[in-house]
Amino acid sequence: PSERKRFYQNVSISQGEGGFEINLDHRKLKTPQAKLFTVPSEALAIAVATEWDSQKDTIKFYTMHLTTLCNTALDNPTQRNKMQLIRAAVKFLETDTVCYRVEEPAALAELQKNEWDPVVAWAEKRYNVAIGSSTSILGPNIPASTKETFISHLASYNMWALQGIEYVITQLKSLILSMGLIDRHITVEKAVLLSRLEEEYQIQRWGNVEWAHDYDLCELRARAAAGTLFVHLCSESSTVKHKLLQD
Amino acid sequence: MAALGSPLQTFRGLLRELRHASGRPYRDTPAYQHIVATFRAHRVTSQKLCRAQQELHFQAATYLCLLRSVREHTALHREYHGKGERSPEEVAGLVGFRLPQQPGGKG
């Protein structure tokens, strides 16, 4: 069921043995697989609680992206281990949106060059790898060393953060744009714009259709924002806190 | 670091979104209290930001994007996708047409 009546008055968070829990009235929130819903970060728990508290008469599950991400991390319904997640993420590089170029129409090819070249260049410099771009139907030829570098880098993230990273990559159809977000090089709005460059080009040419275009745009922004926030809140932040305390 | 705009704008935007999202007085909510405490404690609204503060600002801007996009998406869903069956007149109107008037027949 995509919707259900709101059955609780109060939403609160509490700290249990495994982490932070969400309480709907006196009931503890559980995952779809009936596990206790526990998250490692207080800020994440607060944001999840806010999702539940924002529901009016009906619970719109399709708007509760952080809850969904936590459920995926807790239940791991696809039963993938860390290495499988990392390989799935890096595999996207072979069909990365920003590497796949058209030759026609010329205006679109130019737009892709102007908007996507900088972010590819950023990734190549930041990770010291060769990526490039291609107009071939087979896509770019990514060197094995490039893939190894990204595999190594992603291995430094914990399982929860990795679920988030893989989610963002799937939504944006781009590993490079996702790393741009994770590394705080670009904003969510920019990442989504770059991911939807061809759509935006067509919209400029042919006009906007609110009930389709804006709908998709808002949904992609929401998902990319949720995924990015999820990754940052689940990553080790003790060094950040420490620096702040020293100020 | 991404071009983010002013932290004060982000802060205000977040408060605005929380006001929309919450049924009850939004100042009572954990989210409001957490955001105010964070911005206050780390003085993210000041002009010059150190790296840690910039990271916090990015996080805040990302959360603002999430809240805003969910609200806009929900509004669009309600407007265009939640209405059930539409009459032929309404459907025609969606793409800018009007049904023809036929004497003695439909329309």
Side-chain angles (χ1 to χ4, degrees):
Chain A
S2 66
E3 289 189 13
R4 215 198 125 161
K5 275 213 176 70
R6 176 167 172 157
F7 56 88
Y8 49 91
Q9 283 248 30
N10 294 311
V11 184
S12 62
I13 63 172
S14 54
Q15 194 161 6
E17 275 182 31
F20 296 89
E21 299 159 4
I22 312 290
N23 306 299
L24 306 173
D25 291 330
H26 57 273
R27 278 168 288 238
K28 290 206 181 293
L29 179 61
K30 302 252 167 51
T31 70
Q33 287 181 12
K35 296 196 183 113
L36 181 64
F37 189 99
T38 332
V39 301
S41 148
E42 186 177 11
L44 181 56
I46 291 173
V48 169
T50 306
E51 282 185 342
W52 284 88
D53 206 25
S54 305
Q55 304 308 311
K56 309 278 190 266
D57 312 308
T58 56
I59 304 172
K60 295 170 167 42
F61 292 110
Y62 55 85
T63 64
M64 301 164 75
H65 304 294
L66 291 172
T67 301
T68 306
L69 281 160
C70 292
N71 281 333
T72 305
L74 285 163
D75 286 348
N76 193 9
T78 59
Q79 291 290 297
R80 287 183 291 184
N81 63 33
K82 192 163 167 176
M83 207 17 117
Q84 286 169 319
L85 262 184
I86 292 171
R87 289 200 182 278
V90 176
K91 190 149 174 65
F92 246 98
L93 200 49
E94 294 163 20
T95 54
D96 206 300
T97 297
V98 301
C99 297
Y100 246 94
R101 307 297 174 88
V102 301
E103 288 181 299
E104 286 177 345
L108 180 55
E110 177 85 13
L111 189 64
Q112 288 182 341
K113 183 166 163 290
N114 293 335
E115 296 298 321
W116 286 348
D117 278 359
V119 72
V120 175
W122 165 83
E124 286 179 329
K125 184 167 178 222
R126 158 88 175 79
Y127 290 97
N128 197 25
V129 291
I131 301 172
S133 61
S134 171
T135 54
S136 151
I137 199 166
L138 298 172
N141 192 15
I142 310 286
S145 56
T146 300
K147 291 185 198 169
E148 284 309 315
T149 302
F150 282 114
I151 288 173
S152 238
H153 178 73
L154 290 179
S156 68
Y157 286 92
N158 62 52
M159 193 61 178
W160 277 60
L162 269 174
Q163 298 273 14
I165 294 172
E166 200 254 353
Y167 177 77
V168 176
I169 293 173
T170 313
Q171 294 303 316
L172 293 177
K173 311 276 187 285
S174 167
L175 171 70
I176 293 172
L177 290 178
S178 304
M179 294 323 294
L181 266 178
I182 306 298
D183 291 345
R184 303 180 186 86
H185 174 67
I186 50 176
T187 61
V188 173
E189 289 88 344
K190 178 88 182 184
V192 168
L193 175 68
L194 292 177
S195 173
R196 285 169 42 95
L197 198 64
E198 177 154 5
E199 279 98 321
E200 291 303 316
Y201 169 77
Q202 301 297 355
I203 288 166
Q204 297 251 351
R205 282 212 72 197
W206 301 109
N208 189 39
V209 179
E210 194 182 51
W211 53 263
H213 293 136
D214 285 355
Y215 187 82
D216 289 346
L217 175 67
C218 289
E219 180 162 46
L220 188 55
R221 273 189 185 159
R223 288 167 177 231
T228 303
L229 188 63
F230 184 82
V231 172
H232 287 150
L233 292 176
C234 294
S235 305
E236 253 63 61
S237 55
S238 50
T239 46
V240 174
K241 259 199 193 142
H242 195 64
K243 267 196 216 129
L244 285 171
L245 287 171
Q246 279 176 345
D247 267 356
Chain B
M1 181 66 68
L4 282 174
S6 104
L8 190 57
Q9 261 186 338
T10 307
F11 180 65
R12 287 208 185 113
L14 275 169
L15 297 192
R16 215 176 299 130
E17 290 300 328
L18 286 179
R19 210 184 315 136
H20 280 300
S22 195
R24 57 183 165 142
Y26 73 110
R27 285 180 223 266
D28 291 342
T29 60
Y32 174 84
Q33 286 160 0
H34 179 88
I35 286 166
V36 167
T38 306
F39 270 78
R40 214 169 262 160
H42 305 306
R43 274 173 247 138
V44 187
T45 49
S46 63
Q47 281 298 97
K48 290 203 181 96
L49 298 186
C50 77
R51 186 182 176 73
Q53 288 167 324
Q54 282 182 323
E55 289 184 355
L56 265 174
H57 185 201
F58 186 92
Q59 210 175 86
T62 303
Y63 189 45
L64 174 56
C65 182
L66 172 58
L67 291 175
R68 194 180 270 158
S69 305
V70 166
R71 180 171 54 79
E72 289 171 353
H73 180 256
T74 308
L76 283 169
H77 188 93
R78 205 181 310 126
E79 180 63 29
Y80 292 113
H81 294 258
K83 289 200 166 154
E85 188 87 5
R86 289 190 180 86
S87 71
E89 285 81 11
E90 281 184 289
V91 175
L94 269 181
V95 288
F97 295 136
R98 273 182 312 179
L99 289 180
Q101 307 288 315
Q102 282 168 18
K106 259 207 230 180

